[in-house]
Amino acid sequence: VLQDDLFSIMVRFRTHIYAFSSDITKMYRQIEVDPSERKWQMIIWRESEDIKLKYYVLNTLTYGTTCASYLAIKCLQTLANNVKEKYPKASVIAKRDFNVDDIMSGANTIEEAIVLQSELIKLCEKGQFELHKWCANHEDLLKNIPKEKQEKCMELGTDDQEVKALGIKWLPKRDIFKLSYMPTCHKKMNKRSVLSEMAQMFDPLGIA
């Protein structure tokens, strides 16, 4: 385990006056596997039985493999260590506030938050990582972010637009978390059905 647990990241996120979230576009596809290890990531394929088998070797991390998330996180943290002198604030945040490819962070002043955001973008670019789906609880944090890299809800005027932030619904303009739950009608209520209902609500902070 290389990163903080979900509970710690989300609680820390709630302490910031100015908060933002983003994620890395196709993170696994930006990480090349060492050539000597690529033979273990092979797809054998043919369209029909009478066609000769074709062999495809995957050069980048493959989603679903046991080691993929560890390697992706390790690459990000190594990158943060390599550029910590140039981007000291972002280096700390990259090792602390990421959950695999999702970042939830912020600061207590708008100036500090803008600097942190800018450093994070530049740090990630050093590793060919592109941050997109930006959300923030203050419009100044999105002024320098192109529209196509913002979450679509940020363009709308309503305060009730929600986004998924590490599995939790976040309303950025109101800066609140939201839990939603639609109960199922059970013919018979027993321990199993109660546990099934409870499992449908994702509540890592134990708010409910």
Side-chain angles (χ1 to χ4, degrees):
V1 178
L2 298 175
Q3 295 177 321
D4 275 2
D5 60 277
L6 194 61
F7 182 89
S8 299
I9 293 172
M10 299 195 80
V11 168
R12 187 161 51 242
F13 178 71
R14 301 311 293 151
T15 67
H16 304 306
I17 297 174
Y18 300 96
F20 58 79
S21 70
S22 181
D23 69 60
I24 297 173
T25 307
K26 298 177 182 177
M27 185 183 192
Y28 289 2
R29 289 287 170 248
Q30 312 313 316
I31 300 170
E32 287 191 338
V33 175
D34 188 276
S36 65
E37 302 292 331
R38 292 175 186 174
K39 61 185 177 181
W40 308 115
Q41 293 195 147
M42 188 176 290
I43 294 175
I44 304 172
W45 180 260
R46 63 181 175 188
E47 295 292 340
S48 61
E49 292 183 8
D50 57 340
I51 296 177
K52 190 177 179 180
L53 290 172
K54 293 181 180 179
Y55 296 84
Y56 298 91
V57 176
L58 303 173
N59 295 333
T60 58
L61 286 186
T62 301
Y63 184 81
T65 54
T66 305
C67 61
S69 61
Y70 171 84
L71 292 173
I73 295 165
K74 190 68 175 177
C75 282
L76 179 62
Q77 294 191 348
T78 301
L79 172 65
N81 286 328
N82 289 344
V83 298
K84 63 183 179 182
E85 291 184 7
K86 192 169 185 179
Y87 308 115
K89 293 180 179 179
S91 177
V92 172
I93 296 303
K95 291 183 285 185
R96 192 188 72 179
D97 288 349
F98 264 100
N99 183 267
V100 188
D101 60 346
D102 292 309
I103 176 76
M104 293 179 70
S105 192
N108 289 331
T109 67
I110 190 64
E111 293 80 13
E112 186 181 357
I114 290 172
V115 169
L116 178 57
Q117 182 188 48
S118 176
E119 279 197 11
L120 271 171
I121 292 171
K122 291 173 183 175
L123 181 150
C124 287
E125 285 176 348
K126 291 290 184 182
Q128 305 300 313
F129 295 135
E130 181 186 2
L131 290 169
H132 74 148
K133 292 186 178 179
W134 282 95
C135 289
N137 66 352
H138 195 281
E139 59 184 12
D140 284 358
L141 285 168
L142 298 172
K143 279 184 177 179
N144 297 320
I145 304 296
K147 291 290 184 183
E148 63 271 16
K149 291 187 178 182
Q150 295 181 26
E151 192 68 77
K152 289 182 179 179
C153 76
M154 300 310 295
E155 300 174 10
L156 304 174
T158 175
D159 291 343
D160 293 324
Q161 288 298 319
E162 58 191 45
V163 295
K164 279 288 186 71
L166 301 183
I168 287 285
K169 292 179 179 178
W170 180 41
L171 282 65
K173 292 188 178 180
R174 293 170 60 191
D175 195 15
I176 61 173
F177 284 152
K178 175 183 176 182
L179 297 176
S180 58
Y181 165 67
M182 184 63 69
T184 307
C185 183
H186 292 273
K187 292 182 179 179
K188 185 179 180 182
M189 195 59 92
N190 52 35
K191 187 187 292 184
R192 181 176 294 176
S193 62
V194 170
L195 291 172
S196 175
E197 288 297 309
M198 291 172 65
Q200 291 182 44
M201 181 179 286
F202 183 64
D203 182 22
L205 293 177
I207 295 171

